[in-house]
Amino acid sequence: MQVDVADLFVGQPTIRGNPIERVPLVAIVDLESPVEVVPSLEISDGDRVWIQPWPVKPATKHRVAVMGMRPNRSHTIRVRVDAADSVQEQWSEPLFFQTPPLPDNFPPISVVHAEPQRMEPGVTFFATNIWKDSISILDYGYIVALDAEGQVVWFCETTDRIADMRILKNGHILYQHGNYRYAYEIDILGRDINRWVATNLTELPDSGSIPVGIDTTHHDILELPNGNFLTLATVLKHFEEFPTSELDPEAPWAAAHVVCDDIVEFNPRTGVIVKRFPLSSVLDNKRLGYMSLGSFWKDKYNDEEGNVISRDWSHANGLTYLPDESALLISFRHQDCVMKLDWKTHEIRWIFGNPEGWADVWQQYMLKPVGELAWCYHQHAPQWTPRGTLMLYDNGNYRARPFQQPMQAYENQSRVVEFRIDEEAMTVEQVFEYSGGEDDPFYSPFYCEADWLPNTQNILVTDGGHVELSDGTPSDNVPGERQWARIFELTRDAQPERVFEIQIDSGMESPFGWSVYRAMRLPNLIDGFRIDPLAVDEPVPRFERDPHEKREVLH
């Protein structure tokens, strides 16, 4: 039956704020039609007007989430419906929605530069971490989305310090808690969906959480094509011999408790581990780098009564899965290397890094440099680009091997760097480098990432771990008197230019500091996400955020 245009709405659509208060820049529109229709929205905030499609099947009732609104603005929203069985369409009367201002404790994000016409299209998506009086705060966290002008268009107050973060195939957000005991799945409207708990060192806080029998979920957690999760997990081992000095080659070796890394694949529905591989079996156990004697894991493993210190030997900090080859790229921060490992056979394909200090049996796997090449030190976030190259953020800590003179932070620079690897010839060639140059050198001793952007071939750089002393001098010691972060987009030209930059900084005199582990550029806030406005009224409680640590005693 042909329906008159005037009858495509049953009453005026209604609008209200998102009932999930930690995501307040979202509004919920409800509408009804006598026939099956597909809705879309026209949204105006006085400065911008944009159309928001709603990719759903035709129906007589719809609930639509209004996305992309900036804070502290009055928005006018008109609903358009298109009849499924005809070419008829109709616009609603205007709806009005006032977004709230940013919270008082929101990160101090400032826009340094933005050239939208030269940038990769989309929104910049990242999580912020806070330091107070040089202490990492575990119950504070925001996930933030910025538009091309650097303006906030979405955020979620997580009350969790966040490490790695991904978008799952089901359209939900997966992130690791910064204490490496928990991982969370939430949706973009702010609902808690799942929590995984590393139960070897942490009590299962409730029956709704999913236990995983590991000590920690460290740095990276990702989704495999088969739906399982892959993560880095720590394990404590006893070494009969371990160096006692990074500076004195004549210092005696002694027995030590050493934190090693395993790769763990587990079923996210049950938490059951389906595969576990100890990375200590493919590393030279007698090789170390600067910071291998550190005690990063003291809150997890140290026995204070027995004065036992756990050593942070390899510190795996990056994990990338290559589905076409069933291979892994693994970054070992304190070994200053990236390894390619066959995930089926566990055979080493190659090792990229300074070959010094590796025993003879490992030399066959070392990539040999072609042309001018600077080795990476304490790098983060290796990724394989569409060009078939290796890109990473080279933090550059010390730029030396143990027993060599370390480079001081005030004279050091980090780099965004890209390498071409010939696996048959076992060679590596440096093809791109950016370190800011003389005009704007940068140095971040922890965190950070460099992402290839597919449309522009620009690079999104998370320069997220700046540490400075009270006089503004860069420092290797985390924390310092000032911690601050920035994200910038870089053209990949002979003379690279920054086309976007934001900073998160409270300044030297403030007790607060900031860091960002990684960032990503997403096409928008609709595509790729699972948005279910019908679920916002369901009584799904948030997981309690109190830690449930076990007492761990070394033997």
Side-chain angles (χ1 to χ4, degrees), residues 306-328:
N307 198 28
V308 177
I309 299 176
S310 58
R311 300 303 187 185
D312 191 16
W313 167 53
S314 54
H315 199 101
N317 69 351
L319 186 62
T320 299
Y321 182 72
L322 306 178
D324 293 341
E325 305 176 66
S326 187
L328 300 171

Side-chain angles (χ1 to χ4, degrees), residues 110-141:
S110 61
V111 181
V112 178
H113 183 63
E115 296 181 61
Q117 69 278 8
R118 301 178 66 192
M119 293 165 53
E120 182 82 5
V123 295
T124 306
F125 204 71
F126 60 96
T128 58
N129 296 331
I130 195 172
W131 305 70
K132 184 178 180 182
D133 297 322
S134 298
I135 296 174
S136 172
I137 305 301
L138 295 176
D139 60 357
Y140 174 98

Side-chain angles (χ1 to χ4, degrees), residues 167-183:
I167 308 301
L168 295 172
K169 289 184 292 185
N170 67 8
H172 291 160
I173 300 165
L174 172 69
Y175 68 83
Q176 286 176 318
H177 195 293
N179 63 11
Y180 303 121
R181 298 177 183 274
Y182 306 102

Side-chain angles (χ1 to χ4, degrees), residues 366-386:
M366 307 304 300
L367 296 175
K368 299 174 180 59
V370 173
E372 292 188 11
L373 180 147
W375 298 116
C376 297
Y377 291 89
H378 283 45
Q379 69 290 322
H380 279 80
Q383 62 176 259
W384 204 247
T385 75

Side-chain angles (χ1 to χ4, degrees), residues 164 166 176 217-224 229-233 262-265 279 316-322 327-332 338-339 341 343 380-384 449 517-518:
D164 192 23
R166 314 272 174 148
Q176 286 176 318
T217 169
H218 179 223
H219 264 293
D220 278 16
I221 183 168
L222 55 92
E223 185 178 20
L224 293 172
F229 286 178
L230 199 69
T231 191
L232 293 163
D262 289 359
I263 297 178
V264 173
E265 178 181 344
L279 289 170
N317 69 351
L319 186 62
T320 299
Y321 182 72
L322 306 178
L328 300 171
L329 297 179
I330 310 156
S331 171
F332 297 95
V338 175
M339 176 185 292
L341 183 75
W343 186 227
H380 279 80
Q383 62 176 259
W384 204 247
E449 180 184 33
Y517 180 49
R518 291 180 180 172

